[in-house]
Amino acid sequence: MKLTGSKILLECLLREEVDTVFGYPGGTVINIYDDLMDYPINHILTRHEQAAVHAADGYARATGKVGVAIATSGPGATNTVTGIATAYMDSIPLVVITGQVPTALIGNDAFQEADMVGITRPITKHNFLVRNINELTTIVKKAFHIARSGRPGPVLIDFPKDVQLDSTVFSYPDKVELAGYKPTVGGNARQIEKAARMILEARKPLIYVGGGAVLSDAAQGLRELAELAQLPVTTTLMAKSIFPSRHPLCLGMLGMHGTYYSNMAVTNCDLLIAAGARFDDRVTGKIATFAPNAKIIHIDIDPTSIKKNVRVDLPIVGHLNDVLQKLADKMKEQGDKVDALVERTHGWRSEIAEWKKAHPMKYTPSTSVIKPQFVIEKIRELTRDDAIITTEVGQHQMWTAQFFDFIQPRTFLTSGGLGTMGYGLPAALGAQVAFRDRQVIDISGDGSFQMNSQELATLVQYRLPVKIVILNNNFLGMVRQWQEMFFDRRYSQTCMELPIDFVKLAEAYGATGLRAEKPDEVEAMIKKGLETPGPVIMEFRISREENVLPMVPPASGLNEMVLAS
Amino acid sequence: MKHTISVLVENEFGVLSRVAGLFSGRGFNIESLSVAPTLDPSISRMTIVTSGDDQILEQITKQLNKLIDTIKVIDFTGHDFVEREMALVKVCAEEESRAEVLRIVDIFRAKVVDVTPKSYTVEVTGAPGKINAIVELLRPLGIKEIVRSGPVVIGRGPKGWKSS
Ligand SMILES: Cc1ncc(C[n+]2csc(CCOP(=O)(O)OP(=O)(O)O)c2C)c(N)n1
């Protein structure tokens, strides 16, 4: 029996075990939407295509599955670009399907035509234009395989309308053949052995974990290695949830807004074990003074990440959880050497403890104005350990990273690589779709919230009880902070002059809005917000010129932190 | 330092722009690029001449390898290979210089492929150095137009790329 292209696409999605897609219809995908009514696939209609992609991304980050988004050609497709680039920078597995004008019109400036394969080439792991119905199933199969394997990433399928209408016999391939694409997963045994030796000889070892650890679900391997050899662990923003914040070996985040003790540990370590991290400039500060005394072991699934920004003494290409597990096993074979290592590095751990004591993460409390850090701490106290926290981008994002404790992997979803304002709300939506019963909270600034606030409608429509925390300083706070510190307090275009009534806004959409203006209202309001069914905006009027500290000024070394204003 | 790289890719729509985009997107320089299908029509072979220090070259080869369509990347630096380029040179040739052009053509074992009362068009193949040399000799006589293919290279010895 022959099926149309649009039905074949949906059959393929079923074979890939896709039960939920996020999207927005239009002329060139209207057939897919028509067929969707007959398929057991959940569709979430967002209010903007960018949000559909972020939602699919949040769904993917929270579950580890491939997220799927659909948009129409032209403006629908171009609206997906920021979402795709966000996922690309953070290596999130997505399949984005865009409608395209009929093949005969491609290249003719047809109505609602945009060259999506061209536009998304630099921001996708791979992309496809379906030119012929006979290649459709192979393309979909390849797309999912590419998106989820190796270093994950977004894949775009541009799907012309005439191919959707064309028909052929459906048969889904059970294997993919990609001559050149064979990611290395195992990790070279000799290199792993060498790494074990380097760790056993170290005096001041430190593990530096990145988002790759979350993507490869490496919590177990990481914890085993760290505990076995008593190795202190510092994480990037992206890896916050992979190692429990309260673990005695956890040093918190490193880099521009990292902890003093993390950055001192990096500066003074003699062996840095980089695991699924890519030495982003927000992490390294001035490269010349980054881990100046350290030998570097770099474990990553993507060979291009290795030696890109820093010299590396021992590269290991492979799946992180695998490699860490094998590394721990290798070391266990030499039990007495491990004991000697733990013994020898005792002083190093005390040195770190001293730094921690001298400059712990702190802020100046207040009884008159609400401190954002205080709000974050209270949210932490009042939420469950498996709550999923998303953020937008700005100061609130850094305060969340600094003052929230994460216990379980995949509970912190944030745009690290691209730094996309407007990410958090749709990502929270996607995570809540995946886990209807978990607490999902978007921590936002007043600026970022307004980038995708229309998604309140989606939350209300689908009864998604996302809680939105707005730390309202009436500023584009992070930029204002830079203007304060580096531009003589010339606050050019960072004051959001118009005070918005977020409570009324919530109500206009049929959600609940709450506001706190004084510190003593904070706790009760968070409780109330969390208990109130359905989507809730909790607005906190925070102290307006609070800064994120400590901070490594741009182009400075990690040891040149500004600790207080 | 100059490097000559062969990239074997799936002969797919859009591959060339993917490769070229990789270079431009990362600020790498392409000096020349030539591409055509191989014996196996599903595979194309590109020859890319680029330059950069070791670290840049390592990134270039890794990034090329990372493209889904890439089957193999061969950096010929330090290997023995045969390198050939073709050029077509349209050179002024009126009374006094006609004989001189032919003499140069002869020395370089080039070929005249088009003649007019005012010009010769010369076809020359060889290593890029040889082409540079003939161009320098013809230049004073007045070159009207020149087109070069960019080099193509192949490893020396009995083995093909699959076994290399
Ligand atoms: C889409 C987008 N535009 C601009 C920026 C630059 N930017 C980074 S942080 C920031 C301010 C964010 O303000 P707000 O959301 O109110 O958060 P706050 O810093 O006040 O917590 C801006 C404009 C960005 N990251 N993303």
Side-chain angles (χ1 to χ4, degrees):
Chain A
M1 195 185 67
K2 286 189 167 185
L3 293 183
T4 58
S6 62
K7 283 209 170 72
I8 290 177
L9 172 73
L10 297 170
E11 290 289 338
C12 293
L13 294 185
L14 289 181
R15 300 302 186 281
E16 293 294 338
E17 292 172 16
V18 173
D19 51 26
T20 306
V21 299
F22 301 85
Y24 206 99
T28 59
V29 286
I30 198 163
N31 297 88
I32 300 175
Y33 274 87
D34 185 53
D35 289 328
L36 203 48
M37 293 191 82
D38 306 325
Y39 276 80
I41 296 176
N42 224 339
H43 181 277
I44 306 289
L45 173 69
T46 56
R47 296 304 184 266
H48 191 295
E49 289 88 352
Q50 181 191 343
V53 180
H54 288 324
D57 169 315
Y59 179 93
R61 290 190 208 218
T63 59
K65 297 197 253 181
V66 179
V68 180
I70 302 178
T72 194
S73 67
T78 54
N79 268 352
T80 65
V81 167
T82 303
I84 296 174
T86 302
Y88 182 68
M89 289 293 279
D90 289 341
S91 307
I92 306 306
L94 290 188
V95 170
V96 177
I97 298 150
T98 47
Q100 183 53 281
V101 300
T103 43
L105 297 182
I106 291 178
N108 291 353
D109 297 336
F111 176 65
Q112 295 198 329
E113 181 189 357
D115 169 16
M116 282 313 285
V117 170
I119 289 171
T120 62
R121 190 173 298 123
I123 52 165
T124 47
K125 185 171 172 188
H126 199 62
N127 60 20
F128 297 94
L129 170 65
V130 187
R131 283 175 305 167
N132 172 329
I133 183 119
N134 295 315
E135 53 183 38
L136 177 59
T137 52
T138 333
I139 284 177
V140 178
K141 180 89 190 171
K142 283 182 182 173
F144 276 87
H145 174 66
I146 292 168
R148 66 161 77 93
S149 59
R151 177 182 186 161
V155 178
L156 178 117
I157 302 175
D158 204 27
F159 195 8
K161 174 141 180 150
D162 56 324
V163 187
Q164 296 169 29
L165 296 172
D166 204 356
S167 55
T168 189
V169 176
F170 172 72
S171 103
Y172 201 55
D174 39 42
K175 273 213 309 262
V176 260
E177 267 313 316
L178 286 158
Y181 178 71
K182 307 221 158 49
T184 311
V185 291
N188 181 297
R190 297 259 295 274
Q191 300 286 87
I192 291 174
E193 207 176 310
K194 213 161 145 192
R197 223 176 310 133
M198 284 169 76
I199 297 172
L200 291 172
E201 284 165 7
R203 302 190 158 273
K204 298 181 169 194
L206 177 68
I207 304 182
Y208 146 48
V209 208
V214 179
L215 298 168
S216 70
D217 295 311
Q220 172 84 34
L222 174 66
R223 193 154 175 173
E224 217 175 297
L225 179 69
E227 286 178 350
L228 173 76
Q230 289 298 300
L231 306 171
V233 176
T234 177
T235 78
T236 64
L237 176 71
M238 297 308 292
K240 280 254 33 154
S241 66
I242 202 67
F243 195 68
S245 296
R246 296 251 172 88
H247 195 287
L249 288 166
C250 188
L251 304 186
M253 186 166 75
L254 80 167
M256 182 173 276
H257 290 298
T259 60
Y260 173 79
Y261 34 100
S262 272
N263 286 344
M264 290 306 284
V266 174
T267 308
N268 288 280
C269 68
D270 73 345
L271 178 69
L272 189 68
I273 305 148
R278 61 192 170 90
F279 298 87
D280 181 298
D281 49 286
R282 281 286 186 277
V283 156
T284 61
K286 188 164 62 183
I287 288 274
T289 53
F290 180 78
N293 312 316
K295 288 217 158 67
I296 297 180
I297 299 172
H298 192 177
I299 312 165
D300 206 293
I301 188 98
D302 178 5
T304 61
S305 277
I306 296 176
K307 289 199 226 169
K308 190 170 56 185
N309 303 328
V310 296
R311 75 203 144 71
V312 167
D313 299 279
L314 181 73
I316 303 177
V317 176
H319 192 275
L320 202 59
N321 194 37
D322 242 44
V323 174
L324 292 176
Q325 209 82 250
K326 285 182 189 159
L327 194 51
D329 291 345
K330 254 278 122 6
M331 290 181 39
K332 270 187 231 153
E333 289 170 12
Q334 315 188 48
D336 26 333
K337 283 203 183 149
V338 174
D339 294 344
L341 170 74
V342 173
E343 176 88 36
R344 172 161 26 91
T345 51
H346 182 77
W348 168 234
R349 285 186 298 277
S350 341
E351 199 175 344
I352 293 174
E354 288 300 315
W355 287 320
K356 210 167 187 168
K357 213 153 83 197
H359 299 292
M361 278 308 302
K362 61 167 194 286
Y363 64 94
T364 318
S366 163
T367 49
S368 56
V369 291
I370 301 178
K371 291 293 187 127
Q373 302 92 333
F374 173 69
V375 177
I376 304 280
E377 282 179 348
K378 282 291 160 208
I379 295 172
R380 169 67 202 113
E381 271 173 45
L382 297 168
T383 47
R384 307 200 292 251
D385 276 356
D386 74 343
I388 295 171
I389 307 296
T390 72
T391 73
E392 309 288 341
V393 171
Q395 293 182 309
H396 60 276
Q397 178 188 32
M398 292 300 131
W399 286 319
T400 306
Q402 291 179 330
F403 290 92
F404 201 91
D405 290 339
F406 294 95
I407 313 294
Q408 291 186 27
R410 298 187 181 278
T411 53
F412 183 46
L413 320 183
T414 193
S415 167
L418 199 65
T420 309
M421 291 170 72
Y423 169 79
L425 177 55
L429 187 166
Q432 188 82 76
V433 167
F435 298 106
R436 293 256 171 188
D437 298 331
R438 278 168 74 175
Q439 265 174 349
V440 180
I441 301 171
D442 171 34
I443 298 179
S444 180
D446 51 311
S448 292
F449 176 73
Q450 294 179 67
M451 286 247 172
N452 270 320
S453 57
Q454 77 284 346
E455 297 310 319
L456 270 173
T458 315
L459 296 181
V460 173
Q461 179 182 342
Y462 293 96
R463 301 179 203 290
L464 298 166
V466 170
K467 310 298 180 230
I468 301 156
V469 171
I470 300 178
L471 299 177
N472 188 358
N473 50 14
N474 264 100
F475 270 121
L476 297 174
M478 188 57 102
V479 185
R480 185 211 57 78
Q481 175 172 342
W482 283 50
Q483 289 169 335
E484 176 189 326
M485 293 174 74
F486 313 118
F487 292 87
D488 263 348
R489 295 179 185 256
R490 284 155 59 87
Y491 293 165
S492 174
Q493 306 300 322
T494 47
C495 183
M496 291 277 187
E497 304 283 352
L498 185 72
I500 297 190
D501 189 334
F502 288 112
V503 172
K504 276 199 186 140
L505 182 76
E507 286 164 0
Y509 280 102
T512 307
L514 304 170
R515 176 180 301 124
E517 317 214 19
K518 291 271 163 297
D520 56 12
E521 301 163 4
V522 168
E523 185 160 349
M525 199 183 100
I526 296 172
K527 275 193 188 140
K528 181 161 179 214
L530 292 176
E531 280 163 12
T532 306
V536 178
I537 288 183
M538 295 179 239
E539 183 200 355
F540 299 87
R541 295 293 181 89
I542 59 166
S543 65
R544 294 198 63 205
E545 298 190 36
E546 189 71 17
N547 285 338
V548 182
L549 290 166
M551 176 179 195
V552 178
S556 304
L558 292 190
N559 54 341
E560 300 171 278
M561 293 197 92
V562 177
L563 292 166
S565 327
Chain B
M1 187 173 153
K2 203 153 159 171
H3 290 258
T4 308
I5 299 169
S6 281
V7 192
L8 289 127
V9 294
E10 308 249 17
N11 189 3
E12 289 270 354
F13 149 88
V15 175
L16 180 59
S17 57
R18 248 185 249 288
V19 171
L22 182 158
F23 277 78
S24 62
R26 290 171 195 275
F28 302 146
N29 183 40
I30 297 183
E31 218 157 279
S32 75
L33 188 161
S34 65
V35 53
T38 61
L39 200 57
D40 174 349
S42 72
I43 298 177
S44 283
R45 179 163 175 149
M46 303 186 182
T47 309
I48 301 174
V49 180
T50 181
S51 52
D53 60 26
D54 287 353
Q55 208 224 334
I56 290 180
L57 247 291
E58 185 173 338
Q59 266 302 310
I60 290 179
T61 36
K62 280 178 174 175
Q63 294 287 354
L64 284 170
N65 266 311
K66 186 170 163 178
L67 292 180
I68 306 291
D69 291 323
T70 302
I71 296 164
K72 195 176 173 78
V73 179
I74 312 164
D75 182 356
F76 280 98
T77 316
H79 294 273
D80 212 6
F81 59 90
V82 182
E83 182 181 27
R84 289 292 178 271
E85 182 174 5
M86 187 176 96
L88 296 171
V89 189
K90 192 172 285 183
V91 58
C92 297
E94 295 185 51
E95 284 108 62
E96 60 301 347
S97 62
R98 285 182 92 79
E100 175 66 359
V101 172
L102 289 180
R103 210 170 57 80
I104 296 170
V105 163
D106 194 40
I107 295 170
F108 281 84
R109 278 180 287 157
K111 235 189 322 190
V112 174
V113 291
D114 187 45
V115 186
T116 74
K118 292 180 176 225
S119 70
Y120 280 129
T121 297
V122 174
E123 172 196 317
V124 56
T125 58
K130 173 179 164 184
I131 295 182
N132 292 341
I134 188 171
V135 168
E136 284 321 307
L137 287 171
L138 294 176
R139 193 192 296 275
L141 304 175
I143 295 178
K144 290 167 178 279
E145 193 177 344
I146 178 165
V147 52
R148 297 176 67 150
S149 65
V152 291
V153 306
I154 196 163
R156 283 194 191 274
K159 288 194 204 147
W161 65 266
K162 281 187 183 160
S163 44
S164 68

